[in-house]
């Protein structure tokens, strides 16, 4: 006898593959994860083993099922959702399913030298207009070109469709179903898709020398997915009901369905995203992306990506030989004294999109202490997020709520400072697995476990941080920060 239906969600990220099982109330009743590695064969190169990622999915599912307790059973799990890291790209043989090269991570910077045509200002403008994305090596198109240049230089095999290019969701769906598919939100991050038409664009494919025959078919976030399952998810042979990019899924998990609600995921980097009214009116420093596509209905979102956020905290903590928690506590107990840290380690992302910007620290004196540097590091986090949220503000008007998730948000002082700097309420989810929850909700919708209106009734628990008004102090800090950013961007001039 089956109990109430359960949803399984996989969140495949840069450092681990997580799995959660969610009940009909939207409560996580079991969870586990499997760590995965990455390699750095050359400066700026970040790679991962695609087969390790696939195997980690099955292992994470198996470990999570063991966490189920009565009255729940594995047989109650009826559908799966998959949330994935975005922009990372892989090339594999369609016939054998064998990767030709390790997965090139979204963090990879090997393709800073874009096609020569990309230096033309009119080409850059056209790419931004078609894709909603600035020309930047973070996105998949340049990775696709690099892979084909090295493994199919004359494009003969890819033109015949013998090779497959795809993102993580495309790879996992290929392993599960044996078909080459990609979800619309993930496709919108490749810089090869026309974001307005939700289809591969011939001009973009020509610019990056990518044959259409090696690209996956674009499908909505809720499918339809193939009927025949080739490989099970660990011990479970269940259908996939939804696929989303991790940041898009977190937005859905926060149930931020209204204009003026924005979410910020604090991870290695950061994604700040909110739904918008019109996709043709966007601040130049923001990306236009497909939040999700449900059937034929497309929800567009504005997004800003920060390259180094949690990574900055870990980097400074290692230099000071303390933990990240100790770093935050040290920084919150003091002041930066006008010292500013700009973590432009691989250039700056939104709203600047300057891959040549450098990392630097300004206004150092003989009086600068460990505490001063720790404070400047903390401020670099909240100022970067604030710059992107303020850019979204200029599009949608007042931001009423900032929903936050991710490891660094566990520090109360950091979140209180974020609320102060932004002047808006910050809601920290008590449930940490927002990327998994969002795609679980979407998958549950596909099986009618919930309705769209019923999502509002699911368990929601947040810690609230309200702003404290100290405008003069805020303005001085922001001014110092922006002066430092300008120095970072002028350093190479």
């Amino acid at each position: 006898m089956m109990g109430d239906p359960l949803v399984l969600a996989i969140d495949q990220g840069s450092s681990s593959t997580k799995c959660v099982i969610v009940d009909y109330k939207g409560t996580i009743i079991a969870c586990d994860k499997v760590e995965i590695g990455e390699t750095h064969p050359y400066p700026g190169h970040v790679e991962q083993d695609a087969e390790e990622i696939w195997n980690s999915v099955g292992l994470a599912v198996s470990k999570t099922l063991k966490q189920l307790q009565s009255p729940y059973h594995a047989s109650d799990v009826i559908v799966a959702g998959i949330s994935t890291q975005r922009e990372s790209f892989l090339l594999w043989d369609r016939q054998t399913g064998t990767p030709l090269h390790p997965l090139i991570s979204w963090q990879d910077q090997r393709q800073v030298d874009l096609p020569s045509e990309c230096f033309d200002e009119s080409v850059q403008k056209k790419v931004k207009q078609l894709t909603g994305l600035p020309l930047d090596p973070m996105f998949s198109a340049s990775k696709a070109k690099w892979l084909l240049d090295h493994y199919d230089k004359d494009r003969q095999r890819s033109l015949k469709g013998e090779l497959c290019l795809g993102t993580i969701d495309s790879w996992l769906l290929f392993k599960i179903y044996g078909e080459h598919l990609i979800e619309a939100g993930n496709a919108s991050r490749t810089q090869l898709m026309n974001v307005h038409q939700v289809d591969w664009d011939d001009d973009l494919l020509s610019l990056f020398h990518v044959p259409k025959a090696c690209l996956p078919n674009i499908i909505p976030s809720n499918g339809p997915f193939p009927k025949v399952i080739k490989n099970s998810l660990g011990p479970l042979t269940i259908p996939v009901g939804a696929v989303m990019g991790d940041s898009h899924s977190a937005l859905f998990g926060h149930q931020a369905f209204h204009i003026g609600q924005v979410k910020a995921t604090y991870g290695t980097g950061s994604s700040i995203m909110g739904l918008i009214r019109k996709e043709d009116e966007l601040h130049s420093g923001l990306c236009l992306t497909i939040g999700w596509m449900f059937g034929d209905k497309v929800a567009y979102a504005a997004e800003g990506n920060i390259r180094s956020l949690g990574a900055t905290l870990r980097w400074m903590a290692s230099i000071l030989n303390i933990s990240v928690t100790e770093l935050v506590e040290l920084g919150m107990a003091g002041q930066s004294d006008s010292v500013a840290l700009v973590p432009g380690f691989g250039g700056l992302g939104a709203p600047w999109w300057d891959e040549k910007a450098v990392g630097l620290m300004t206004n150092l004196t003989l009086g600068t202490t460990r505490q001063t540097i720790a404070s400047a590091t903390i401020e670099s986090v909240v100022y970067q997020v604030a710059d992107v949220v303020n850019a979204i503000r200029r599009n949608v008007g007042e931001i009423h709520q900032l929903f936050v998730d991710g490891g660094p948000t566990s520090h109360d002082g950091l979140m209180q400072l974020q609320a102060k700097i932004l002047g808006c309420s910050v809601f920290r989810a008590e449930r940490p697995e927002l990327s998994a929850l969002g795609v679980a909700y979407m998958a549950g919708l596909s099986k009618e476990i919930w309705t769209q209106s019923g999502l509002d009734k699911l368990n929601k628990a947040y810690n609230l941080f309200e702003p404290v008004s100290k405008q003069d102090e805020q303005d001085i800090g922001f001014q110092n920060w922006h002066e430092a950013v300008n120095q970072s961007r002028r350093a190479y001039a």
Side-chain angles (χ1 to χ4, degrees):
M1 180 177 177
M2 289 187 63
D4 293 321
L6 304 177
V7 180
L8 178 141
I10 296 155
D11 180 20
Q12 202 301 296
S14 302
S15 60
S16 68
T17 298
K18 302 173 185 176
C19 179
V20 305
I21 297 176
V22 180
D23 69 9
Y24 73 98
K25 296 179 181 178
T27 303
I28 293 176
I29 59 173
C31 63
D32 215 317
K33 69 178 180 178
V34 175
E35 302 291 339
I36 58 173
E38 64 181 27
T39 58
H40 306 82
Y42 302 100
H45 289 214
V46 185
E47 298 177 352
Q48 294 186 290
D49 185 326
E51 292 291 356
E52 179 190 6
I53 289 174
W54 166 245
N55 291 332
S56 73
V57 170
L59 182 55
V61 171
S62 297
K63 291 177 67 176
T64 303
L65 288 173
K66 292 179 181 178
Q67 306 297 325
L68 275 181
Q69 297 181 6
S70 180
Y72 301 108
H73 301 90
S75 59
D76 298 330
V77 181
I78 64 170
V79 68
I82 301 175
S83 164
T84 62
Q85 57 172 301
R86 309 172 302 165
E87 294 108 17
S88 300
F89 228 47
L90 182 68
L91 178 69
W92 68 92
D93 185 289
R94 186 186 297 268
Q95 185 65 34
T96 67
T98 303
L100 275 67
H101 185 273
L103 177 82
I104 300 180
S105 168
W106 63 271
Q107 306 168 77
D108 193 279
Q109 291 288 306
R110 74 186 66 196
Q111 195 62 13
V112 172
D113 296 325
L114 296 164
S116 58
E117 304 97 306
C118 293
F119 293 100
D120 187 288
E121 188 173 338
S122 63
V123 172
Q124 295 182 25
K125 184 176 181 180
K126 183 176 182 180
V127 170
K128 181 69 183 292
Q129 187 270 322
L130 290 173
T131 69
L133 309 173
L135 274 167
D136 190 274
M138 184 180 82
F139 304 112
S140 312
S142 61
K143 307 179 200 303
K145 181 180 183 300
W146 188 95
L147 285 165
L148 292 179
D149 284 348
H150 284 74
Y151 293 93
D152 190 29
K153 192 170 184 178
D154 59 6
R155 304 305 197 261
Q156 288 304 303
R157 295 195 67 198
S158 46
L159 280 165
K160 295 176 183 177
E162 295 176 0
L163 301 181
C164 293
L165 276 170
T167 46
I168 286 288
D169 67 308
S170 183
W171 167 244
L172 296 182
L173 289 173
F174 184 86
K175 297 293 282 188
I176 296 168
Y177 291 112
E179 296 192 24
H180 198 198
L181 308 167
I182 187 172
E183 182 265 336
N186 277 291
S188 73
R189 306 296 296 178
T190 63
Q191 204 151 61
L192 295 171
M193 189 192 84
N194 185 313
V195 72
H196 308 285
Q197 298 177 3
V198 196
D199 198 5
W200 303 121
D201 187 273
D202 290 338
D203 289 339
L204 295 169
L205 299 184
S206 176
L207 176 65
F208 290 99
H209 310 294
V210 177
K212 190 173 184 177
C214 68
L215 291 173
N217 293 324
I218 302 171
I219 59 173
S221 307
N222 64 334
F225 300 94
K227 300 296 184 183
V228 179
I229 297 173
K230 180 180 177 182
N231 289 304
S232 62
L233 294 169
L236 289 181
T237 304
I238 55 174
V240 174
V243 171
M244 304 178 81
D246 52 9
S247 188
H248 313 236
S249 187
L251 184 68
F252 202 86
H254 281 295
Q255 300 172 42
F257 303 140
H258 305 290
I259 306 299
Q261 295 178 323
V262 174
K263 76 90 195 175
T265 298
Y266 296 63
T268 299
S270 181
S271 162
I272 297 97
M273 182 186 290
L275 297 183
I276 58 174
R277 297 182 184 88
K278 295 181 179 180
E279 74 265 25
D280 57 348
E281 297 178 5
L282 202 63
H283 183 279
S284 61
L286 297 173
C287 298
L288 173 66
T289 192
I290 291 177
W292 47 81
M293 184 175 178
F294 199 78
D296 59 356
K297 296 181 179 179
V298 179
Y300 285 100
E303 181 178 17
N305 301 99
I306 296 169
R307 295 192 194 280
S308 184
L309 194 142
T312 302
L313 297 176
R314 293 192 296 272
W315 171 75
M316 184 57 75
S318 68
I319 288 178
L320 298 180
N321 197 28
I322 56 178
S323 68
V324 171
T325 297
E326 290 170 326
L327 172 73
V328 174
E329 291 174 351
L330 179 64
M332 295 304 303
Q335 294 183 337
S336 62
D337 296 334
S338 299
V339 172
L341 167 66
V342 181
F345 305 122
L348 289 172
W352 319 108
W353 293 108
D354 189 342
E355 74 276 6
K356 294 183 178 179
V358 300
L360 55 77
M361 189 175 292
T362 64
N363 299 325
L364 297 174
T365 70
L366 290 174
T368 299
T369 65
R370 285 163 55 92
Q371 189 171 67
T372 308
I373 293 172
S375 296
T377 304
I378 300 307
E379 290 177 356
S380 78
V381 169
V382 297
Y383 287 148
Q384 285 186 101
V385 172
D387 278 337
V388 178
V389 173
N390 286 334
I392 296 176
R393 267 186 172 133
R394 289 191 279 275
N395 269 99
V396 304
E398 186 57 40
I399 301 299
H400 307 291
Q401 298 168 317
L402 178 68
F403 296 97
V404 300
D405 60 272
T409 67
S410 64
H411 303 286
D412 289 358
L414 187 64
M415 292 300 96
Q416 188 62 59
L417 181 60
Q418 190 73 79
K420 169 188 169 184
I421 295 301
L422 279 172
C424 76
S425 300
V426 172
F427 292 80
R428 180 182 65 200
E430 290 186 2
R431 306 161 299 177
E433 308 299 346
L434 267 297
S435 292
L437 273 174
V439 80
Y441 294 163
M442 179 74 78
L445 288 174
S446 73
K447 287 291 185 179
E448 299 183 342
I449 296 174
W450 304 295
T451 62
Q452 185 74 51
S453 59
L455 289 179
D456 287 336
K457 300 175 184 177
L458 296 183
N459 289 334
K460 289 188 284 187
Y462 287 93
N463 300 123
L464 174 61
F465 299 89
E466 294 284 16
V468 177
S469 180
K470 289 186 179 180
Q471 192 65 39
D472 291 343
E473 181 182 329
Q474 176 180 326
D475 289 345
I476 292 172
F478 246 143
Q479 182 179 342
N480 289 336
W481 161 255
H482 289 133
E483 288 175 355
V485 168
N486 290 335
Q487 290 184 48
S488 167
R489 302 182 66 199
R490 288 197 303 265
Y492 63 85

